Amino acid sequence: MEHIYSDFYKQPVKITERKPDVLGVVLHDDAENYQAKDYIDWLKKRITNHELEKGWACVYVDMHTCYWFHPSEYTEWHCGNTFANTHYIGIERCQSKINGVLNDKAFMRNEEASFKIAALLLKKYQLPVNRQTVRLHKEFFETECPARAWSIHLGNVKTNQENIEKLKDYFIERIKSYDNYSSEKTLDIIG
């Protein structure tokens, strides 16, 4: 997987303040057809147009690329919820538009890449992989996100705590499968 880093990794000036602490990750589905590399220009336009308040995550992932937009220890605007933004790392899974450019099988390869990144981030911050550290956007904000994953893994079921936990348990199982994926070298790539 190719890892690309924005200029925020090279410069001392960051968009936001440091998070008081990192409690885990939030897995998002972007509901777009964009690849991770497409977010490079997309986010540059948001900066140019002074539109970052519309939202952004730490990292954008597809099966080939991981675009690290902003260092993970800094507050993001990914959940529409202050607590989540200041305590959780946003992982945006790309090309998740339902009936978009990817069929379900192809999207699940992007999803697997996001699980690897989640495993690395949780290991970096020495956090366990559980229901408190692996979160869904819809736990913090009224949204369908992660809509594509919800559709694939749960079908057309209503949003309730039981179904949220079912999807989280699937994510947790997949993230745990990458527990041995990390080494000192792989942890060095984490933004």
Side-chain angles (χ1 to χ4, degrees):
M1 174 180 284
E2 179 183 14
H3 291 266
I4 302 170
Y5 301 85
S6 77
D7 291 340
F8 291 110
Y9 287 86
K10 300 175 205 154
Q11 63 193 30
V13 176
K14 308 295 186 227
I15 299 169
T16 57
E17 300 295 321
R18 280 187 178 271
K19 293 174 179 162
D21 52 5
V22 174
L23 299 179
V25 297
V26 175
L27 295 161
H28 297 271
D29 289 350
D30 71 348
E32 297 290 346
N33 285 317
Y34 302 144
Q35 295 178 22
K37 286 182 178 179
D38 296 329
Y39 280 98
I40 297 170
D41 287 335
W42 186 86
L43 287 159
K44 283 180 181 175
K45 285 179 188 171
R46 279 217 164 158
I47 291 168
T48 300
N49 295 333
H50 305 286
E51 295 177 335
L52 278 176
E53 73 280 354
K54 290 182 177 179
W56 50 273
C58 166
V59 61
Y60 296 77
V61 182
D62 63 41
M63 67 186 95
H64 303 294
T65 307
C66 188
Y67 175 54
W68 297 91
F69 175 62
H70 205 256
S72 59
E73 65 270 20
Y74 288 84
T75 296
E76 305 158 53
W77 299 335
H78 62 106
C79 273
N81 175 286
T82 302
F83 182 81
N85 291 342
T86 58
H87 291 86
Y88 288 88
I89 300 165
I91 301 173
E92 197 75 56
R93 290 105 62 85
C94 299
Q95 297 176 302
S96 68
K97 185 173 187 170
I98 295 173
N99 299 319
V101 296
L102 296 184
N103 63 28
D104 288 348
K105 187 175 179 180
F107 170 70
M108 288 177 72
R109 287 193 293 273
N110 285 356
E111 195 176 49
E112 283 300 312
S114 78
F115 298 145
K116 287 179 189 175
I117 296 303
L120 290 171
L121 283 164
L122 292 169
K123 176 116 3 179
K124 173 184 178 172
Y125 289 98
Q126 301 177 346
L127 296 168
V129 182
N130 60 37
R131 288 180 178 171
Q132 288 73 47
T133 61
V134 177
R135 306 298 295 267
L136 308 181
H137 188 181
K138 62 172 55 198
E139 290 183 90
F140 297 105
F141 191 78
E142 192 172 324
T143 179
E144 295 302 312
C145 181
R148 183 78 182 260
W150 190 274
S151 173
I152 291 170
H153 302 296
L154 298 178
N156 188 23
V157 298
K158 65 181 177 177
T159 298
N160 60 31
Q161 193 59 38
E162 179 183 355
N163 290 329
I164 285 172
E165 289 176 4
K166 280 182 188 175
L167 187 58
K168 285 173 60 168
D169 288 346
Y170 172 75
F171 288 176
I172 289 164
E173 175 188 327
R174 296 305 310 135
I175 291 167
K176 283 183 176 179
S177 76
Y178 294 104
D179 190 48
N180 294 325
Y181 176 72
S182 63
S183 65
E184 265 188 55
K185 185 178 179 184
T186 56
L187 288 177
D188 286 343
I189 65 171
I190 297 303

